[in-house]
Amino acid sequence: MMRLFVRIVAGFLSAYSFVLFGSVFWRLHLSDNFWTIVLRAWLVAWIISEFVTACLKLNPLPRLLTHLRYAPIAIFSFFLATVLAYDQAMILHSKWKIRNYVYGDASPGISTSLELHNNHRGWCGNGYPATIYALYADTAAEGFESSDPAVRARSLSASIEVYDWLNGVSDGPFPELIGRASKDPDPMIRKIAAEFRGEAYGFDR
C-alpha cells in the first residue's frame, strides 16, 4: 500500500514538474494546445502503464514506467539547477563589467551601456529595473570612495545606469551618492549629477 502511495505521489510530482518545465517554452511562443496534448498523452501513458503493472503483478516495460514516473522530475531539477547556476555566473560577470568600467580608462563624460544580466522573471514590468538596482547598485557605488575623480565620475555614471528610474527608489546607496556628487569638488562629477537631476523623473531635486 505504501509503495502504491509513493508511486502515485511520484507520478503527480512528475506531472507538475513537467508542466512547470513546459511553461518555460510557452515564452518561446509554442502553442498552449501543443503542451496540453503532450501532457495528456504523458498522463494517459503513465496511468495505463501503472494499471497494467498492478493488474499483471508484473512490470512488462520497467524502463518506460520508470521514465514516465521520474523523468520529468529529473529534467526539471536539471533545468532549474542550470538556470540558477547560469544566473549566478552572469550576475558575477556583470559585476565584473561594472568594476572593469569604473576602474578602467574610459572617458568619464561618455555615457555607457553595460548590458547587465537581469534574473527577474516575474510578470510585473516594474520588477526589471528594481532587480537591476538591487543586484548592482552597491557594486556601482563602490568606486565613489576613490580619491581619483575619474573613477568617481565613472562610478556615478554606472550608478545612474543601474538606478531604478521606473520606481523612483529612495533607498539604497544612490540617493546619498547623487547628493554627494552634487557637492563634489570635481566639475565633471557635478555636471553629471546636475544632468541627472534635470532629466530624472520623480527624483527629489
Side-chain angles (χ1 to χ4, degrees):
M1 192 70 178
M2 180 58 68
R3 180 178 297 180
L4 179 60
F5 175 76
V6 171
R7 288 177 178 176
I8 293 174
V9 170
F12 279 103
L13 284 176
S14 290
Y16 182 67
S17 300
F18 189 84
V19 171
L20 290 178
F21 178 72
S23 67
V24 175
F25 293 94
W26 287 336
R27 301 189 180 192
L28 299 179
H29 307 293
L30 291 178
S31 170
D32 290 357
N33 291 333
F34 170 80
W35 286 109
T36 300
I37 293 170
V38 170
L39 179 59
R40 288 177 178 175
W42 179 86
L43 287 173
V44 168
W46 167 62
I47 292 172
I48 291 175
S49 298
E50 290 285 8
F51 180 76
V52 170
T53 300
C55 290
L56 299 178
K57 306 296 183 181
L58 178 66
N59 188 354
L61 299 170
R63 290 193 176 184
L64 174 63
L65 189 53
T66 299
H67 288 316
L68 291 172
R69 286 174 180 165
Y70 306 114
I73 293 178
I75 293 171
F76 179 74
S77 299
F78 175 79
F79 170 79
L80 183 62
T82 302
V83 169
L84 293 177
Y86 173 79
D87 279 341
Q88 290 305 308
M90 291 302 296
I91 289 170
L92 291 175
H93 178 66
S94 294
K95 290 182 177 180
W96 172 83
K97 287 199 297 185
I98 293 174
R99 293 190 178 100
N100 190 52
Y101 165 73
V102 170
Y103 296 102
D105 56 0
S107 175
I110 300 177
S111 60
T112 181
S113 178
L114 297 171
E115 298 182 357
L116 305 174
H117 179 70
N118 194 334
N119 65 348
H120 177 74
R121 294 182 175 83
W123 60 270
C124 180
N126 290 25
Y128 285 88
T131 300
I132 286 288
Y133 183 74
L135 288 172
Y136 306 115
D138 290 332
T139 303
E142 288 175 2
F144 207 77
E145 303 302 325
S146 173
S147 59
D148 185 345
V151 173
R152 294 201 305 275
R154 286 190 291 268
S155 177
L156 177 59
S157 296
S159 296
I160 290 174
E161 180 172 344
V162 304
Y163 173 69
D164 185 358
W165 292 73
L166 189 58
N167 297 300
V169 295
S170 58
D171 57 352
F174 188 77
E176 179 185 356
L177 185 146
I178 197 69
R180 292 172 58 191
S182 300
K183 302 174 183 178
D184 194 273
D186 186 80
M188 174 64 72
I189 296 175
R190 295 198 303 271
K191 178 183 177 182
I192 295 174
E195 289 176 350
F196 170 79
R197 285 181 177 274
E199 296 175 1
Y201 173 78
F203 192 80
D204 184 9
R205 295 175 172 79

